[in-house]
Amino acid sequence: MKPAPVSYHRASSVRDAVALLTSLGEEAKVIAGGQSLVPMMSFRLARPEHLVDITRIPGLDTLEVVGDELHIGALVTHQAVFESDVVRGSRGHRVVATTMRHVGHLPIRTRGTVGGSIAHADGSAEWPLLAVLLGARVVVEGSSGEREIPAAELFYGLYTTSIEPDEIVVRVIFPAAKGETGFAEHGLRHGDFALASAGVVLPSSPGATDARVVVSGAAPAPARLPHAEAALAADADEDRLRRAVTQDLDDLEIDDDYQRDLVTGMVTRAAQEARQS
């Protein structure tokens, strides 16, 4: 299929993009890499009347570590993060770079953008999970100015966020993980959408309660697993961790045995990777 007719607008600055979104209303969509939006338009699952192209806006493609935080501009591509020595060389952010090997195929990684993936909020995508796992803050700018949205308050559900129609993602700020990290994902083939994935941050020190476990494939948006986090904080073995994940999936009312097994398997694999770091 082909997309429905659409009007194209190119923004020259963030302020210009915001003005266009404000004037065009809710039928306008932002386009950058287009790796998520264009396929949906081709199948007419999305039918915006206007596209606001932000790819020529300067200053949105920066990638840097500031203090112990990783700042990623909205137009930075998945491949740029994957190849970044700055990200790979930072112990607290290494999981961000290594997770990128799971994102689609090379053409997708070289075109798709971090901001686009965050704003699109696909429940199986890697960036929303990483944002929740590391407690990221998403900086957006709109007609009311700039604001930061904690990742925990950003994702409402599948393709649904708290970003307003006149706002665009400017950058994403990732605090460094204090403990060792791991990530695991399962799809039918490499590059396919994930059927389940999990990210783990181990406690920063013995007895610490700052372990984090976040999964996709168990809810429309990335979900934290508090029982699994408590198990990791107690240095639980694999059997106890599996039982904890089972409690979390019961709380999330996940009844499908196959999906439960997948999610549980991804958590245990991510925890093993973190422990072997």
Short mmCIF file of all heavy atoms in Angstrom, two decimals, residues 1-33:
data_model
loop_
_atom_site.label_atom_id
_atom_site.label_comp_id
_atom_site.label_asym_id
_atom_site.label_seq_id
_atom_site.Cartn_x
_atom_site.Cartn_y
_atom_site.Cartn_z
N MET A 1 0.83 -1.19 0.00
CA MET A 1 0.00 0.00 0.00
C MET A 1 0.87 1.25 0.00
O MET A 1 2.07 1.19 0.27
CB MET A 1 -0.94 0.01 1.21
CG MET A 1 -1.96 -1.11 1.21
SD MET A 1 -3.04 -1.04 2.65
CE MET A 1 -3.94 0.47 2.30
N LYS A 2 0.26 2.37 -0.29
CA LYS A 2 0.95 3.65 -0.27
C LYS A 2 0.31 4.57 0.75
O LYS A 2 -0.88 4.46 1.04
CB LYS A 2 0.90 4.30 -1.66
CG LYS A 2 1.65 3.52 -2.74
CD LYS A 2 1.59 4.25 -4.06
CE LYS A 2 2.37 3.48 -5.12
NZ LYS A 2 2.32 4.16 -6.44
N PRO A 3 1.10 5.50 1.29
CA PRO A 3 0.52 6.43 2.27
C PRO A 3 -0.59 7.28 1.66
O PRO A 3 -0.61 7.53 0.44
CB PRO A 3 1.71 7.30 2.69
CG PRO A 3 2.92 6.51 2.31
CD PRO A 3 2.53 5.71 1.11
N ALA A 4 -1.50 7.72 2.51
CA ALA A 4 -2.52 8.68 2.07
C ALA A 4 -1.84 10.03 1.78
O ALA A 4 -0.73 10.28 2.25
CB ALA A 4 -3.57 8.84 3.17
N PRO A 5 -2.46 10.89 1.00
CA PRO A 5 -1.86 12.21 0.72
C PRO A 5 -1.54 12.96 2.00
O PRO A 5 -2.29 12.91 2.98
CB PRO A 5 -2.97 12.91 -0.08
CG PRO A 5 -3.74 11.81 -0.71
CD PRO A 5 -3.74 10.69 0.30
N VAL A 6 -0.41 13.65 1.99
CA VAL A 6 0.04 14.35 3.19
C VAL A 6 0.80 15.61 2.77
O VAL A 6 1.48 15.62 1.73
CB VAL A 6 0.94 13.44 4.05
CG1 VAL A 6 2.19 13.03 3.30
CG2 VAL A 6 1.28 14.08 5.39
N SER A 7 0.67 16.67 3.53
CA SER A 7 1.42 17.91 3.28
C SER A 7 2.74 17.86 4.03
O SER A 7 2.79 17.43 5.19
CB SER A 7 0.61 19.13 3.74
OG SER A 7 -0.60 19.23 3.00
N TYR A 8 3.79 18.31 3.37
CA TYR A 8 5.14 18.23 3.93
C TYR A 8 5.63 19.62 4.32
O TYR A 8 5.51 20.57 3.55
CB TYR A 8 6.08 17.62 2.89
CG TYR A 8 7.54 17.63 3.28
CD1 TYR A 8 8.06 16.66 4.11
CD2 TYR A 8 8.39 18.62 2.79
CE1 TYR A 8 9.41 16.66 4.46
CE2 TYR A 8 9.74 18.64 3.13
CZ TYR A 8 10.24 17.65 3.96
OH TYR A 8 11.56 17.66 4.30
N HIS A 9 6.20 19.72 5.53
CA HIS A 9 6.74 20.98 6.04
C HIS A 9 8.12 20.71 6.62
O HIS A 9 8.29 19.76 7.40
CB HIS A 9 5.83 21.56 7.13
CG HIS A 9 4.38 21.61 6.76
ND1 HIS A 9 3.79 22.75 6.26
CD2 HIS A 9 3.41 20.66 6.84
CE1 HIS A 9 2.50 22.49 6.03
NE2 HIS A 9 2.26 21.24 6.38
N ARG A 10 9.11 21.54 6.28
CA ARG A 10 10.45 21.38 6.82
C ARG A 10 10.74 22.49 7.83
O ARG A 10 10.64 23.67 7.50
CB ARG A 10 11.50 21.41 5.72
CG ARG A 10 12.94 21.35 6.26
CD ARG A 10 13.94 21.25 5.14
NE ARG A 10 13.89 19.93 4.53
CZ ARG A 10 14.55 19.60 3.43
NH1 ARG A 10 15.26 20.52 2.79
NH2 ARG A 10 14.48 18.38 2.95
N ALA A 11 11.08 22.08 9.05
CA ALA A 11 11.39 23.05 10.10
C ALA A 11 12.88 23.37 10.08
O ALA A 11 13.72 22.48 9.90
CB ALA A 11 11.00 22.48 11.46
N SER A 12 13.20 24.63 10.32
CA SER A 12 14.60 25.05 10.32
C SER A 12 15.16 25.21 11.72
O SER A 12 16.36 25.36 11.90
CB SER A 12 14.73 26.38 9.58
OG SER A 12 13.92 27.38 10.19
N SER A 13 14.29 25.16 12.73
CA SER A 13 14.72 25.30 14.12
C SER A 13 13.67 24.64 15.02
O SER A 13 12.55 24.33 14.56
CB SER A 13 14.88 26.77 14.51
OG SER A 13 13.61 27.43 14.48
N VAL A 14 14.02 24.44 16.27
CA VAL A 14 13.05 23.89 17.21
C VAL A 14 11.85 24.83 17.33
O VAL A 14 10.69 24.38 17.32
CB VAL A 14 13.69 23.66 18.59
CG1 VAL A 14 12.63 23.26 19.62
CG2 VAL A 14 14.77 22.59 18.51
N ARG A 15 12.11 26.12 17.41
CA ARG A 15 11.03 27.09 17.52
C ARG A 15 10.12 27.02 16.29
O ARG A 15 8.90 27.10 16.39
CB ARG A 15 11.60 28.50 17.67
CG ARG A 15 10.53 29.59 17.80
CD ARG A 15 11.17 30.95 18.06
NE ARG A 15 11.86 30.97 19.35
CZ ARG A 15 12.49 32.04 19.82
NH1 ARG A 15 12.53 33.16 19.12
NH2 ARG A 15 13.07 32.00 21.00
N ASP A 16 10.72 26.86 15.11
CA ASP A 16 9.96 26.74 13.87
C ASP A 16 9.09 25.48 13.90
O ASP A 16 7.91 25.50 13.52
CB ASP A 16 10.92 26.71 12.69
CG ASP A 16 10.20 26.73 11.34
OD1 ASP A 16 9.07 27.24 11.28
OD2 ASP A 16 10.79 26.26 10.36
N ALA A 17 9.66 24.38 14.36
CA ALA A 17 8.91 23.12 14.44
C ALA A 17 7.72 23.25 15.38
O ALA A 17 6.61 22.79 15.08
CB ALA A 17 9.82 21.99 14.89
N VAL A 18 7.96 23.87 16.53
CA VAL A 18 6.88 24.06 17.50
C VAL A 18 5.78 24.94 16.92
O VAL A 18 4.58 24.65 17.08
CB VAL A 18 7.43 24.66 18.81
CG1 VAL A 18 6.29 25.09 19.74
CG2 VAL A 18 8.35 23.65 19.51
N ALA A 19 6.16 26.01 16.22
CA ALA A 19 5.17 26.89 15.60
C ALA A 19 4.35 26.14 14.56
O ALA A 19 3.11 26.33 14.47
CB ALA A 19 5.87 28.09 14.96
N LEU A 20 4.99 25.29 13.78
CA LEU A 20 4.27 24.50 12.78
C LEU A 20 3.29 23.54 13.45
O LEU A 20 2.12 23.44 13.04
CB LEU A 20 5.25 23.73 11.91
CG LEU A 20 5.99 24.53 10.84
CD1 LEU A 20 7.16 23.73 10.27
CD2 LEU A 20 5.02 24.92 9.71
N LEU A 21 3.75 22.84 14.47
CA LEU A 21 2.87 21.90 15.17
C LEU A 21 1.70 22.61 15.82
O LEU A 21 0.57 22.10 15.83
CB LEU A 21 3.66 21.12 16.22
CG LEU A 21 4.71 20.14 15.70
CD1 LEU A 21 5.55 19.60 16.84
CD2 LEU A 21 4.05 19.00 14.93
N THR A 22 1.95 23.79 16.36
CA THR A 22 0.89 24.56 17.00
C THR A 22 -0.15 25.00 15.98
O THR A 22 -1.36 24.90 16.24
CB THR A 22 1.48 25.79 17.72
OG1 THR A 22 2.44 25.36 18.69
CG2 THR A 22 0.39 26.59 18.41
N SER A 23 0.29 25.45 14.83
CA SER A 23 -0.64 25.96 13.82
C SER A 23 -1.36 24.84 13.08
O SER A 23 -2.52 24.99 12.69
CB SER A 23 0.10 26.85 12.82
OG SER A 23 1.06 26.11 12.10
N LEU A 24 -0.70 23.70 12.91
CA LEU A 24 -1.29 22.61 12.12
C LEU A 24 -2.19 21.71 12.96
O LEU A 24 -3.03 21.00 12.41
CB LEU A 24 -0.18 21.77 11.48
CG LEU A 24 0.70 22.51 10.46
CD1 LEU A 24 1.87 21.63 10.04
CD2 LEU A 24 -0.11 22.94 9.25
N GLY A 25 -2.01 21.72 14.26
CA GLY A 25 -2.91 20.96 15.13
C GLY A 25 -2.55 19.49 15.24
O GLY A 25 -1.47 19.05 14.85
N GLU A 26 -3.48 18.72 15.79
CA GLU A 26 -3.23 17.33 16.14
C GLU A 26 -3.10 16.41 14.93
O GLU A 26 -2.71 15.24 15.08
CB GLU A 26 -4.32 16.81 17.07
CG GLU A 26 -4.34 17.51 18.42
CD GLU A 26 -5.28 16.87 19.41
OE1 GLU A 26 -5.79 15.76 19.11
OE2 GLU A 26 -5.52 17.45 20.48
N GLU A 27 -3.41 16.88 13.74
CA GLU A 27 -3.26 16.06 12.55
C GLU A 27 -1.85 16.13 11.97
O GLU A 27 -1.59 15.58 10.90
CB GLU A 27 -4.28 16.48 11.48
CG GLU A 27 -5.72 16.24 11.91
CD GLU A 27 -5.98 14.80 12.33
OE1 GLU A 27 -5.49 13.89 11.64
OE2 GLU A 27 -6.65 14.59 13.36
N ALA A 28 -0.94 16.80 12.67
CA ALA A 28 0.45 16.90 12.23
C ALA A 28 1.31 15.91 13.02
O ALA A 28 1.08 15.67 14.21
CB ALA A 28 0.98 18.31 12.42
N LYS A 29 2.30 15.33 12.35
CA LYS A 29 3.24 14.43 12.98
C LYS A 29 4.67 14.87 12.67
O LYS A 29 4.96 15.34 11.57
CB LYS A 29 3.05 12.99 12.47
CG LYS A 29 1.75 12.34 12.89
CD LYS A 29 1.76 12.00 14.38
CE LYS A 29 0.51 11.22 14.77
NZ LYS A 29 0.48 10.94 16.23
N VAL A 30 5.54 14.68 13.64
CA VAL A 30 6.95 14.96 13.44
C VAL A 30 7.59 13.77 12.74
O VAL A 30 7.31 12.61 13.07
CB VAL A 30 7.66 15.22 14.78
CG1 VAL A 30 9.17 15.33 14.60
CG2 VAL A 30 7.09 16.48 15.44
N ILE A 31 8.47 14.04 11.78
CA ILE A 31 9.22 12.97 11.13
C ILE A 31 10.70 13.30 11.19
O ILE A 31 11.12 14.43 10.99
CB ILE A 31 8.75 12.76 9.66
CG1 ILE A 31 9.43 11.51 9.08
CG2 ILE A 31 8.99 13.98 8.79
CD1 ILE A 31 8.82 11.03 7.79
N ALA A 32 11.49 12.28 11.52
CA ALA A 32 12.95 12.42 11.53
C ALA A 32 13.50 11.28 10.67
O ALA A 32 13.52 11.36 9.46
CB ALA A 32 13.48 12.39 12.95
N GLY A 33 13.90 10.16 11.32
CA GLY A 33 14.38 9.02 10.54
C GLY A 33 13.27 8.33 9.77
O GLY A 33 13.50 7.73 8.72
#
